């Protein structure tokens, strides 16, 4: 598998990556995303390496080259290298490969080992761009073999070759090997006193660390590089280094850090009067502002969203107005155009079209030109269909599209792109252009041409092992075939019986083929895992437009018949589990979650698993009962995602208000109960044999805003769900570590603060009963260590977890869960501990991962207001912490009741006959059944927000 991480490496590192030829990246052709998320290749300046090749050609270090060769031959050979570099910078990779191969042969003929090694290194970079991985590997292997014969003076060249080798390793998914190689390169650069090379290798290492999920180490290293660059005097190197570092921060999801670093880069560029670096800075700042806008929109912060959008447009305009590079200008204008279309600013978008068309005609043939034409065509398609968003259109059952009024212009743009790509022998670019033309025909319901061009694009993508491209055309083929089937279905009943039978046969064939292509696309995405988030290093990846629909549309197809087959139910369940995992990966922008195949029948024969699935025009629910393949299914037709969101919001609003009448809480909860539980009451209550049902635990794999629901408080008209079952939630069974808690050996690290300075910084009040809570917990466990108030700081947590092993970590402090990882945190005495820092913090006692924390408790946290996907943050904390189970609160409640609730929970937890879910249930029942008279602890507001995530055993 050729992993998408290549785009980060080849896009963002610029000068400080290799001190050599700068890899031209791309992210073109996501037909269902904003156009500006694609042509990232256009925004990065390419660096002249002639000083390097010239220096190498005349190097006194090469003892094998005669004086005559140094004086005569290098000029000819250098010209070959320079031509290769020029072809490369122009995006003409096939020509670059041909010329660099000639250069390598010429240097071989003269015995110039160092320059031959350099030519082969550059050849490897070029063939990586072409997707010719075997040739890239052979070139780098030959380069390394040559350098083994040079006894001294080759440190810098070897470091450069190792940088290229590291890139190739990362592209092929070997992040650990890439990290080791780049560490060796750094040492060689240091030995050669090459400060720039050292910085480049460090950034490379950070990229590998991110790929390995070592976020904290990567962030620390990148911050160190940033400080080193800031300490340097102003120079083009400093401006470009900070610029590329800002892009790396954006790719990692550190948007505030990205904005700050890019602003610093732009400031340096302005001081040294580098107009091109200034325009590059405007462009990248526009991309970061757009990513911030996407995040604000998903968190329902509409005012911030509008401001970020305006800032992004302004920056794109500044970039286009100040640049002297046609490439940067077209990039900025394409980004601006797509953003205007996305935000329904049609008049402004129309005004940009003539400028872009004129500029496109002036671009020389290159990969950048191909992508620019493709991107412009995609914008035209979107303008022609502006009333129906691509992701919605692809999912509609009737597949009625608004006619594309400018189809001739679109075809012209794409034909130009295809011709250029074929002339350049650039298979990746050709695949994107052909596939986009297929998408154009898809929009006009020209199924024959749509299939022809999409198949051609898919064949090319598979031929060069480009999984990131292939999944898009697999998805597109699925949509086209499904649309054909739906169109035929609408006309079937108006024909004779014989014709109807023929049409039905065609419908069945198209439907099966559509499912097959969707399945291929889903499997491809699952194999890519966290590399999905690096599909686009310039604009934050649009997971909800480019990935999520593939999974949901496949589930919709699998469940379309009134009675889906058991095989379809099994596959739908697997697909929704894969989507849950992909969402967690996207949340962290790395593959921190480690999935394992779990057999629920072996895991817990008393558990039933419930999968609600929000589809385009319905809410489907799959129930997994004990015994192999024992699945049930129900669909609530004509239930939209907006209706689900509204029901969840209403339920949450009444629950969060302590004064709400219990009758109103019961009323609001019944709708969600009717959706999730009511259809399966009979199966849950009794066994087919007539015996009493073995079901004691209900495990929910919740979807969308349903993740914010405290399922224990669902009401059936007579009693709460918690009165009948123990309940837990999990992001997916494959993320459950199926081991019970060893109750006889409870050892706990307990920490918290009553009124920390960090609370005041966040505008939060004191938690008065923390001391009581921590004291009571200490009495309930075999051994404990307490960190209270001023002692409760991140460093002390680390020290305690390093010094001793704890299977329970209990933290009583304010915290927040959000769909934005930067806003998902807990507070120690001084500051925030962000979710991305929890991996290093809480894994201190078990760096190998063999004996993780059994139970993490967070007793005073809450989900972010107005964020319907806020519970993703809770799942993220559970996974990032490495704990088998996490018990937390969906909203903060009276801290006196919380302290008593935790005391009750630990009492139940000490009973070895109870699972963690049952211990939680008993604590909730103690409150519900009015064990505490003269209090209002029986209200759902008090006991419902406690939710168990992960392992329920």
């Amino acid at each position: 598998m050729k992993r998408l991480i290549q785009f980060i490496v080849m896009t963002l590192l610029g000068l400080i990556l290799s001190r050599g030829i700068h890899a031209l990246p791309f992210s073109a052709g996501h037909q269902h995303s904003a156009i500006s998320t694609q042509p990232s290749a256009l925004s990065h300046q390419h660096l002249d390496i002639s000083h390097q090749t010239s220096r190498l050609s005349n190097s006194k270090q090469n003892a094998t080259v005669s004086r005559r060769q140094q004086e005569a031959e290098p000029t000819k050979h250098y010209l070959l290298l320079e031509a290769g570099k020029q072809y490369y910078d122009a995006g003409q990779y096939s020509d670059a490969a041909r010329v660099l191969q000639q250069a390598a042969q010429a240097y071989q003929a003269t015995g110039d080992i160092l320059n031959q090694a350099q030519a082969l290194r550059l050849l490897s970079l070029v063939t990586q761009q072409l997707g010719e991985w075997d040739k890239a590997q052979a070139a780098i292997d030959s380069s390394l073999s040559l350098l083994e014969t040079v006894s001294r003076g080759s440190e810098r060249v070897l470091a450069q070759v190792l940088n290229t080798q590291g890139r190739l390793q990362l592209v092929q998914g070997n992040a650990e090997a890439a990290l080791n190689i780049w560490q060796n390169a750094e040492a060689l650069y240091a030995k050669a006193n090459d400060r720039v090379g050292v910085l480049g290798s460090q950034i490379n290492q950070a990229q590998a660390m991110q790929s390995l999920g070592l976020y904290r180490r990567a962030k620390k290293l990148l911050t160190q590089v940033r400080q080193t660059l800031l300490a340097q005097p102003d120079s083009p190197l400093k401006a470009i280094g900070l610029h590329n570092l800002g892009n790396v921060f954006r790719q990692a999801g550190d948007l505030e850090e990205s904005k700050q670093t890019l602003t610093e880069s732009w400031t340096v560029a302005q001081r040294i009067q580098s107009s091109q670096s200034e325009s590059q800075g405007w462009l990248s700042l526009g991309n970061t502002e757009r990513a911030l806008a996407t995040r604000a929109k998903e968190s329902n912060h509409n005012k911030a969203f509008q401001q970020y959008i305006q800032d992004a447009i302004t920056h794109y305009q500044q970039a286009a107005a100040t640049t002297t590079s046609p490439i940067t200008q077209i990039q900025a204008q394409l980004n601006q155009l797509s953003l205007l279309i996305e935000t329904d600013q049609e008049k402004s978008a129309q005004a940009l079209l003539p400028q872009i068309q004129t500029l496109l005609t002036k671009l020389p043939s290159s990969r950048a030109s191909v992508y620019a034409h493709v991107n412009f065509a995609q914008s035209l398609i979107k303008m022609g269909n502006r009333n129906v968003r691509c992701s919605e259109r692809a999912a509609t059952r009737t597949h009625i599209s608004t006619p594309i009024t400018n189809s001739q212009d679109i075809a012209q743009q794409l034909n130009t792109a295809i011709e250029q790509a074929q002339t350049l022998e650039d298979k990746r670019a050709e695949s994107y252009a052909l596939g986009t033309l297929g998408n154009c025909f898809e929009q006009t319901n020209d199924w024959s041409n749509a299939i022809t061009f999409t198949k051609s694009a898919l064949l090319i993508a598979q031929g060069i092992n480009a999984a990131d491209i292939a999944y898009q055309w697999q998805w597109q083929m699925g949509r086209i075939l499904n649309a054909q089937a739906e169109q035929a279905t609408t006309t079937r009943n108006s024909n004779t019986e014989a014709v109807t039978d023929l049409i039905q046969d065609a419908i069945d064939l198209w439907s099966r083929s559509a499912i097959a292509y969707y399945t291929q696309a889903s499997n491809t995405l699952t194999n890519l895992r966290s590399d999905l988030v690096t599909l686009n290093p310039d604009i934050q990846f649009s997971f909800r437009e480019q990935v999520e629909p593939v999974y949901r549309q496949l589930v919709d197809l699998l469940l379309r018949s009134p009675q889906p087959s058991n095989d379809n139910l099994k596959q739908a369940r697997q697909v929704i589990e894969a989507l849950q995992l992909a969402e967690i990966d996207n949340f962290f922008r790395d593959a921190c979650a480690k999935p394992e195949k779990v057999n629920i029948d072996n895991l817990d024969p008393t558990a039933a698993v419930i999968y609600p699935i929000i589809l385009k025009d319905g809410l489907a629910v799959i129930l997994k009962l004990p015994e192999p393949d024992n699945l049930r299914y129900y669909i609530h037709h004509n239930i939209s995602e907006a209706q689900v969101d509204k029901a969840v919001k209403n339920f949450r609003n009444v629950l969060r208000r302590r004064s709400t009448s219990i009758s109103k809480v019961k009323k609001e909860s019944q709708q969600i109960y009717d959706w999730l539980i009511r259809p399966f009451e009979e199966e849950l209550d009794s066994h087919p044999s007539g015996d009493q049902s073995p079901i004691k635990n209900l495990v929910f794999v919740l979807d969308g805003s349903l993740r914010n629901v405290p399922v224990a408080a669902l009401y059936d008209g007579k009693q709460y769900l918690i009165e009948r079952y123990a309940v837990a939630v999990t992001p997916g069974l494959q993320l459950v570590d199926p081991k019970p808690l060893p109750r006889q050996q409870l050892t706990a690290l307990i920490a918290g603060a009553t009124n920390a300075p960090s609370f005041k910084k966040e505008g939060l009040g004191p938690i008065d009963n923390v001391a009581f809570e921590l004291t009571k917990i200490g009495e309930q466990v075999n051994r404990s260590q307490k960190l209270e108030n001023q002692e409760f700081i991140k460093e002390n947590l680390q020290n305690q977890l390093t010094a001793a092993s704890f299977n329970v970590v209990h933290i009583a402090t304010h915290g927040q869960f959000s769909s934005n990882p930067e806003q998902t945190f807990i507070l120690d005495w001084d500051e925030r501990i962000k979710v991305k820092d929890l991996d290093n913090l809480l894994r201190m006692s078990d760096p190998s991962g063999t004996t993780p924390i059994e139970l993490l408790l967070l007793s005073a946290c809450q989900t972010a207001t107005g964020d319907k996907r806020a519970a993703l943050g809770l799942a993220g904390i559970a996974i990032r912490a490495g704990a088998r189970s996490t018990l937390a609160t969906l909203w903060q409640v009276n801290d006196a009741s919380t302290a008593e609730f935790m005391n009750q929970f630990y009492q139940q937890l000490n009973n070895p006959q109870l699972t963690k879910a049952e211990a939680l249930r008993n604590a909730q029942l103690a409150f519900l059944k009015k064990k505490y008279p003269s209090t209002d602890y029986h209200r759902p507001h008090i006991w419902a927000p406690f939710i168990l995530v992960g392992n329920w055993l």
Side-chain angles (χ1 to χ4, degrees):
M1 180 182 69
K2 312 306 181 189
R3 296 163 61 96
L4 298 179
I5 194 74
Q6 76 181 94
F7 301 124
I8 313 168
V9 180
M10 293 186 177
T11 302
L12 301 178
L13 305 184
L15 172 66
I16 53 182
L17 272 186
S18 64
R19 292 293 304 275
I21 211 162
H22 177 45
L24 180 67
F26 81 95
S27 300
H30 301 299
Q31 68 271 23
H32 293 271
S33 65
I35 304 305
S36 65
T37 68
Q38 293 134 25
S40 60
L42 307 178
S43 67
H44 295 283
Q45 71 186 64
H46 310 295
L47 305 165
D48 190 352
I49 62 164
S50 60
H51 71 281
Q52 211 178 69
T53 52
S54 177
R55 179 184 63 199
L56 286 167
S57 297
N58 293 282
S59 176
K60 296 180 180 179
Q61 298 170 354
N62 191 344
T64 65
V65 181
S66 69
R67 180 175 299 277
R68 180 177 56 83
Q69 289 171 332
Q70 287 179 339
E71 294 173 351
E73 293 292 340
T75 301
K76 173 185 175 183
H77 305 339
Y78 158 70
L79 290 176
L80 286 172
L81 270 184
E82 178 63 17
K85 172 259 175 186
Q86 290 174 353
Y87 281 130
Y88 189 98
D89 283 350
Q92 299 172 359
Y93 300 120
S94 292
D95 288 335
R98 174 178 51 81
V99 171
L100 288 170
Q101 184 69 55
Q102 293 173 5
Q105 292 169 351
Y107 282 124
Q108 181 181 21
T110 60
D112 188 339
I113 294 176
L114 288 182
N115 277 338
Q116 183 186 354
Q118 276 284 30
L120 289 168
R121 175 183 77 85
L122 301 179
L123 179 62
S124 179
L125 284 176
V126 172
T127 47
Q128 286 179 46
Q129 286 286 0
L130 291 169
E132 297 174 349
W133 310 110
D134 291 340
K135 291 182 179 179
Q137 186 66 58
I140 207 67
D141 288 344
S142 297
S143 182
L144 288 169
S145 296
L146 285 170
L147 293 175
E148 288 178 359
T149 66
V150 180
S151 58
R152 60 187 179 84
S154 63
E155 289 85 359
R156 181 179 285 105
V157 179
L158 179 57
Q160 292 167 350
V161 174
L162 288 178
N163 261 345
T164 303
Q165 184 190 29
R167 292 184 184 190
L168 185 57
Q169 289 294 321
L170 198 61
V171 166
Q172 295 175 319
N174 302 320
E176 191 167 355
L179 178 58
N180 292 332
I181 289 168
W182 281 326
Q183 287 170 340
N184 292 335
E186 180 188 357
L188 287 167
Y189 277 126
K191 187 176 181 180
N193 294 319
D194 189 331
R195 173 176 50 85
V196 177
V198 168
L199 292 175
S201 293
Q202 288 174 340
I203 292 184
N204 282 343
Q205 291 169 49
Q207 296 288 340
M209 290 172 188
Q210 288 173 343
S211 183
L212 290 168
L214 303 175
Y215 172 83
R216 186 168 180 150
R217 285 178 59 189
K219 180 70 175 290
K220 182 178 179 181
L221 189 55
L222 289 174
T223 302
Q224 175 185 323
V225 171
R226 177 170 170 265
Q227 294 303 321
T228 301
L229 285 168
L230 287 173
Q232 302 301 315
D234 288 349
S235 67
L237 167 64
K238 181 177 179 179
I240 295 170
L242 288 169
H243 174 263
N244 290 327
L245 192 58
N247 289 337
V248 172
F249 280 127
R250 181 176 58 249
Q251 181 275 326
D254 294 330
L255 301 184
E256 288 79 8
E257 197 86 26
S258 171
K259 184 175 180 178
Q260 180 180 349
T261 305
L262 289 170
T263 301
E264 291 164 347
S265 169
W266 179 87
T267 302
V268 173
Q270 190 180 47
R271 286 200 296 259
I272 64 174
Q273 299 182 337
S274 173
S275 60
Q276 184 56 24
S277 290
E278 282 187 63
S279 60
Q280 293 272 330
W282 287 129
L283 179 57
S284 290
L285 278 167
N287 292 341
T288 295
E289 295 286 0
R290 185 168 184 172
L292 286 163
T294 299
R295 195 173 71 183
K297 184 178 181 180
E298 291 178 350
S299 300
N300 207 26
H301 296 152
N302 293 326
K303 185 176 180 180
F305 167 74
Q306 294 295 337
Q307 186 60 56
Y308 288 134
I309 289 294
Q310 186 54 55
D311 289 345
I313 290 173
T314 299
H315 291 331
Y316 290 145
Q317 291 171 335
Q318 290 168 319
T322 58
T323 186
T324 58
S325 165
I327 294 296
T328 302
Q329 185 178 4
I330 193 70
Q331 169 72 36
Q333 291 184 334
L334 284 169
N335 286 6
Q336 182 186 350
L337 176 64
S338 70
L339 188 53
L340 291 170
I341 294 170
E342 184 180 300
T343 53
D344 298 319
Q345 300 182 54
E346 181 182 356
K347 186 175 180 180
S348 297
Q350 289 284 354
L352 261 184
L353 298 184
Q355 301 175 47
I356 293 175
Q357 287 175 311
T358 300
L359 193 57
L360 282 172
T361 61
K362 298 178 180 179
L363 289 180
S365 179
S366 66
R367 175 179 283 186
S369 175
V370 173
Y371 294 153
H373 283 88
V374 169
N375 290 344
F376 186 50
Q378 290 173 327
S379 282
L380 295 177
I381 290 173
K382 286 196 170 187
M383 291 184 75
N385 295 278
R386 61 185 178 275
N387 294 323
V388 184
R389 285 199 177 276
C390 292
S391 59
E392 295 174 343
R393 181 178 64 246
T396 54
R397 295 200 169 184
T398 56
H399 203 88
I400 298 174
S401 298
T402 305
I404 299 176
T405 57
N406 52 358
S407 56
Q408 187 173 2
D409 289 339
I410 295 170
Q412 181 181 347
Q413 295 296 329
L414 293 173
N415 282 327
T416 299
I418 292 168
E419 290 171 3
Q420 286 190 10
Q422 290 173 342
T423 301
L424 294 168
E425 301 178 27
D426 191 328
K427 294 298 183 183
R428 292 187 68 95
E430 184 181 359
S431 178
Y432 267 115
L434 287 167
T436 305
L437 185 56
N439 177 239
C440 179
F441 286 118
E442 178 191 1
Q443 307 312 314
T444 57
N445 296 352
D446 184 347
W447 310 128
S448 177
N449 277 319
I451 289 172
T452 297
F453 287 104
T454 305
K455 278 188 172 180
S456 296
L458 177 58
L459 187 64
I460 291 172
Q462 291 174 328
I464 59 174
N465 295 318
D468 57 298
I469 313 174
Y471 100 83
Q472 298 174 63
W473 311 141
Q474 290 162 342
W475 179 23
Q476 189 161 290
M477 280 296 300
R479 294 195 311 270
I480 294 166
L481 292 165
N482 180 49
Q484 282 187 290
E486 290 175 344
Q487 189 177 70
T489 300
T490 60
T491 61
R492 176 182 53 191
N493 296 330
S494 61
N495 291 280
T496 64
E497 184 175 345
V499 174
T500 298
D501 289 341
L502 289 173
I503 293 175
Q504 185 59 53
D505 289 341
I507 291 171
D508 292 342
L509 177 61
W510 284 328
S511 297
R512 288 195 301 271
S513 299
I515 289 175
Y517 275 109
Y518 265 103
T519 300
Q520 291 174 25
S522 170
N523 291 339
T524 302
L525 286 173
T526 300
N527 289 334
L528 289 171
R529 286 293 308 277
S530 66
D531 294 329
L532 294 174
V533 302
T534 65
L535 275 169
N536 193 322
D538 269 335
I539 301 284
Q540 194 170 30
F541 181 61
S542 179
F543 178 87
R544 296 209 70 186
E545 291 185 357
Q546 295 163 242
V547 173
E548 189 173 342
V550 179
Y551 292 101
R552 292 199 186 279
Q553 290 164 21
L554 174 55
V555 171
D556 189 32
L557 286 174
L558 291 167
L559 302 180
R560 184 158 294 183
S561 67
Q563 292 297 327
S565 68
N566 212 52
D567 286 342
N568 278 16
L569 290 177
K570 286 167 60 179
Q571 185 179 355
R573 179 183 168 216
Q574 292 166 357
V575 171
I576 208 66
E577 287 254 2
L579 172 59
Q580 295 273 349
L581 184 61
E583 285 191 282
I584 293 294
D585 285 345
N586 184 63
F587 176 79
F588 284 116
R589 302 185 71 77
D590 65 44
C592 65
K594 307 300 180 186
E596 299 288 345
K597 289 186 177 181
V598 173
N599 187 332
I600 182 63
D601 306 313
N602 297 334
L603 182 63
D604 183 3
T606 69
V609 187
I610 297 173
Y611 297 84
I613 307 166
I614 300 171
L615 301 176
K616 180 65 180 177
D617 56 358
L619 176 63
V621 188
I622 295 176
L623 171 68
K624 172 64 180 74
L625 294 165
E627 300 177 3
D629 301 334
N630 194 357
L631 298 168
R632 300 290 186 273
Y633 165 73
Y634 192 87
I635 184 165
H636 304 275
H637 292 291
N638 301 317
I639 302 292
S640 67
E641 183 176 6
Q643 288 173 282
V644 174
D645 293 344
K646 183 178 179 181
V648 171
K649 182 179 180 180
N650 291 342
F651 182 35
R652 290 260 308 186
N653 284 344
V654 298
L655 269 175
R656 288 179 68 114
R657 290 194 298 267
R658 192 167 189 160
S659 60
T660 302
S661 67
I662 293 178
S663 61
K664 190 168 185 178
V665 171
K666 291 177 177 178
K667 179 182 177 181
E668 292 294 342
S669 75
Q670 282 194 57
Q671 176 64 82
I672 300 174
Y673 180 92
D674 290 344
W675 285 338
L676 305 189
I677 308 297
R678 186 83 67 189
F680 308 112
E681 283 182 331
E682 185 176 343
E683 287 90 344
L684 292 171
D685 289 343
S686 62
H687 193 272
S689 65
D691 296 335
Q692 185 177 356
S693 171
I695 304 300
K696 295 181 180 180
N697 301 301
L698 294 185
V699 181
F700 292 83
V701 182
L702 297 171
D703 189 23
S705 62
L706 290 169
R707 294 189 184 99
N708 292 329
V709 170
V711 289
L714 296 181
Y715 192 73
D716 67 359
K718 296 181 180 179
Q719 58 186 169
Y720 294 104
L721 191 62
I722 199 65
E723 296 181 75
R724 296 165 58 194
Y725 304 101
V727 299
V729 300
T730 176
L733 288 185
Q734 54 189 327
L735 298 178
V736 173
D737 187 354
K739 293 181 181 179
L741 174 65
R743 238 56 63 87
Q744 69 278 12
Q745 301 174 6
L746 287 183
T747 59
L749 176 61
I750 54 180
T754 297
N755 193 16
S758 62
F759 295 2
K760 297 174 184 177
K761 292 177 188 176
E762 302 285 346
L764 300 168
I767 310 175
D768 293 330
N769 287 276
V770 165
F772 172 77
E773 180 178 336
L774 300 185
T775 299
K776 282 293 186 180
I777 294 167
E779 295 171 357
Q780 300 274 8
V781 299
N782 299 76
R783 176 175 62 85
S784 67
Q785 179 65 48
K786 183 164 63 175
L787 297 173
E788 191 173 356
N789 292 329
Q790 288 92 337
E791 294 181 347
F792 173 39
I793 58 175
K794 182 165 54 178
E795 290 74 14
N796 288 343
L797 277 174
Q798 289 177 324
N799 293 337
Q800 289 296 332
L801 288 167
T802 303
S805 177
F806 300 97
N807 53 21
V808 175
V809 175
H810 184 115
I811 301 177
T813 185
H814 285 296
Q816 176 176 273
F817 311 125
S818 167
S819 60
N820 173 9
E822 292 298 308
Q823 296 300 320
T824 297
F825 58 87
I826 60 175
L827 296 175
D828 69 6
W829 183 256
D830 294 325
E831 61 185 356
R832 290 183 178 188
I833 301 175
K834 294 182 181 179
V835 62
K836 287 188 173 183
D837 293 328
L838 283 174
D839 57 347
N840 278 18
L841 180 61
L842 295 180
R843 295 175 193 258
M844 285 291 176
S845 62
D846 180 40
S848 65
T850 55
T851 55
I853 294 168
E854 296 284 349
L855 181 61
L856 169 66
L857 295 99
L858 303 170
S859 65
C861 294
Q862 60 185 348
T863 50
T865 303
D867 185 350
K868 70 179 185 178
R869 295 197 169 203
L872 263 179
L874 173 53
I877 279 186
I879 291 168
R880 181 66 79 169
R884 288 198 171 108
S885 309
T886 298
L887 177 61
T889 50
L890 290 175
W891 60 84
Q892 190 178 355
V893 296
N894 175 280
D895 65 294
S897 66
T898 297
E900 188 54 52
F901 187 94
M902 285 298 169
N903 182 44
Q904 182 67 227
F905 172 71
Y906 276 95
Q907 288 180 20
Q908 299 296 327
L909 195 64
N910 277 314
N911 183 346
Q913 303 302 314
L914 299 178
T915 65
K916 284 173 276 193
E918 289 167 342
L920 175 60
R921 174 178 183 252
N922 286 352
Q924 290 175 312
L925 288 176
F927 274 43
L928 174 62
K929 300 301 183 181
K930 299 186 179 180
K931 183 178 178 180
Y932 299 89
S934 303
T935 71
D936 63 351
Y937 291 178
H938 65 286
R939 288 179 171 273
H941 168 83
I942 300 295
W943 54 262
F946 295 93
I947 184 169
L948 184 66
V949 181
N951 183 335
W952 62 93
L953 298 177

